[in-house]
Amino acid sequence: MNTEKTRVLIIGSGPAGYTAGIYASRANLRPIIYEGNQPGGQLTQTTEIENFPGYPQGIQGPAMMDEFRAQAVKFGAEIKSKTIAKVDFSKHPFECEDEDGDKIIADAVIICTGASAKYLGLSDEDKYRGLGVSACATCDGFFYRKKNVAVVGGGDTACEEALYLSTLAKKVYMIVRKDYLRASDVMRRRVAEKDNIEILFNCNTEGLFGEDGVEGARIVRHRGTPEEEHFDIAIDGFFLAIGHHPNSEIFRGQLDMDAEGYIKVAGATTHTSVEGVFAAGDVADPRYRQAVCAAGTGCRAALDAEKFLMEHNEL
Ligand code: NDP
């Protein structure tokens, strides 16, 4: 078991973690970034990013994250391709432990652990995980060329996934529980223009079926009303796009969180309920959840950490 000391430990990558890394390393704080098990975060599972300023032609998510990472490394951030498994914020300096049991003692900690895809909670989702059930069209869409698939959800993510899949699959159903898409205008329009996307409004999924993998989904329309009807759709792939939950489990009981597990920060700062621990990006943002916002809060967290270290004579 090794023990290492750092002034700033950044837990998690993605736009928040890497931006915190860029700022903290430029301030000569020599941060250590634990990238976690999905280096680059959620953007590495997306396709084209069209709304990050500075990329008028758009850029692929993984390519953008590679550039963020390279910029952090250029200024001296040390990157570890590991996950932090345990933290102890009850004493200062903070004691954290990685997945191999190695200890890292940090004067300040910046949490950028992001969020992960939600599932419906059906037992069939577990049964067919990797056998037709996925929460990432870009990762798994390739397996469904010329097949029928369904995407659950009516937000921007669901539209994005459905549009991507529509270029590969024969047909894409969107299973939407309301009678409208919550997605932005532009996404709704793009979906409407696709002949091979069919939206099943007012519908919920009751289960999946199939021998060795998904062969279909059981759908209920107008659940709990007099018009309730049940029907099956034949599909080979079932994609979840119903939002995300914050990756904050290891901090539970140590930091104040809201009912959904988003880490609470004080006002426009990144200060958590423990002095010297800061949170940035989606793990602390139930509202905006945009890459550019995550990058902005990553910057703030690094500045907040620098100020904290200065005030505590740790610089
Ligand atoms: P959202 O929370 O916006 O949408 C979630 C969707 O899933 C809604 O249609 C919701 O239905 C549905 N849903 C939630 N729970 C269930 C359930 N149990 N059963 C069935 N349906 C369910 O999440 P997104 O991930 O789409 O987007 C998150 C944020 O990221 C948004 O701010 C979005 O604008 C942004 N984003 C932007 C993109 C871009 O600009 N390129 C791309 C992707 C995301 P209901 O409407 O009924 O609540």
Side-chain angles (χ1 to χ4, degrees):
M1 191 189 73
N2 300 317
T3 300
E4 193 171 8
K5 178 130 195 358
T6 183
R7 275 183 282 194
V8 180
L9 169 65
I10 299 171
I11 308 177
S13 42
Y18 291 142
T19 304
I22 293 166
Y23 273 76
S25 50
R26 288 191 83 246
N28 210 23
L29 298 176
R30 293 195 297 278
I32 297 179
I33 304 176
Y34 269 71
E35 276 186 324
N37 48 22
Q38 194 188 358
Q42 294 173 71
L43 290 189
T44 57
Q45 306 226 321
T46 187
T47 46
E48 184 99 340
I49 316 277
E50 293 181 328
N51 53 9
F52 200 95
Y55 298 97
Q57 312 305 331
I59 181 166
Q60 296 290 310
M64 188 166 95
M65 282 305 94
D66 284 349
E67 293 195 356
F68 272 55
R69 188 182 194 276
Q71 203 167 342
V73 169
K74 174 181 165 187
F75 293 114
E78 185 187 338
I79 299 198
K80 298 209 185 231
S81 301
K82 291 208 276 184
T83 304
I84 293 290
K86 254 197 243 168
V87 296
D88 182 356
F89 294 153
S90 64
K91 51 183 183 284
H92 190 264
F94 306 115
E95 256 186 54
C96 304
E97 202 177 297
D98 72 19
E99 64 198 49
D100 298 330
D102 290 335
K103 276 212 164 80
I104 177 147
I105 313 290
D107 294 324
V109 172
I110 299 176
I111 299 169
C112 307
T113 46
S116 297
K118 278 186 190 165
Y119 285 79
L120 293 170
L122 301 171
S123 58
D124 287 341
E125 288 171 320
D126 290 331
K127 184 173 166 190
Y128 294 107
R129 187 99 34 121
L131 296 170
V133 171
S134 167
C136 177
T138 14
C139 316
D140 302 325
F142 182 76
F143 301 114
Y144 301 95
R145 278 156 57 132
K146 302 203 174 12
K147 295 187 173 176
N148 295 339
V149 297
V151 176
V152 185
D156 282 323
T157 303
C159 290
E160 206 173 65
E161 302 273 88
L163 287 165
Y164 177 72
L165 288 166
S166 73
T167 63
L168 299 164
K170 188 160 75 182
K171 171 154 190 161
V172 181
Y173 293 100
M174 288 184 75
I175 306 171
V176 179
R177 65 180 176 183
K178 293 207 173 116
D179 61 359
Y180 63 89
L181 292 177
R182 168 206 289 229
S184 53
D185 268 0
V186 58
M187 296 304 257
R188 285 204 302 261
R189 227 175 316 117
R190 283 183 194 167
V191 164
E193 282 164 6
K194 285 281 180 178
D195 290 338
N196 64 341
I197 300 181
E198 179 181 340
I199 307 179
L200 304 173
F201 285 112
N202 301 303
C203 285
N204 281 284
T205 311
E206 293 187 301
L208 302 168
F209 56 87
E211 281 284 310
D212 299 321
V214 171
E215 290 173 17
R218 299 206 159 86
I219 307 292
V220 53
R221 183 179 272 137
H222 294 301
R223 185 164 60 188
T225 71
E227 302 99 79
E228 179 169 308
E229 58 166 319
H230 297 259
F231 61 95
D232 293 346
I233 53 172
I235 50 165
D236 302 288
F238 183 76
F239 289 84
L240 283 306
I242 59 168
H244 292 81
H245 63 82
N247 297 324
S248 60
E249 288 78 10
I250 63 164
F251 312 110
R252 203 171 287 274
Q254 304 203 48
L255 298 176
D256 287 354
M257 296 177 189
D258 72 8
E260 286 186 75
Y262 286 94
I263 297 172
K264 287 189 179 170
V265 290
T269 74
T270 61
H271 290 256
T272 68
S273 52
V274 173
E275 210 192 356
V277 178
F278 307 90
D282 284 12
V283 74
D285 179 8
R287 191 181 178 116
Y288 301 104
R289 295 173 293 178
Q290 301 297 304
V292 68
C293 301
T297 55
C299 155
R300 283 196 233 166
L303 297 178
D304 287 342
E306 186 184 2
K307 187 158 183 283
F308 166 81
L309 294 173
M310 236 175 324
E311 284 169 0
H312 290 75
N313 299 319
E314 279 154 7
L315 279 188

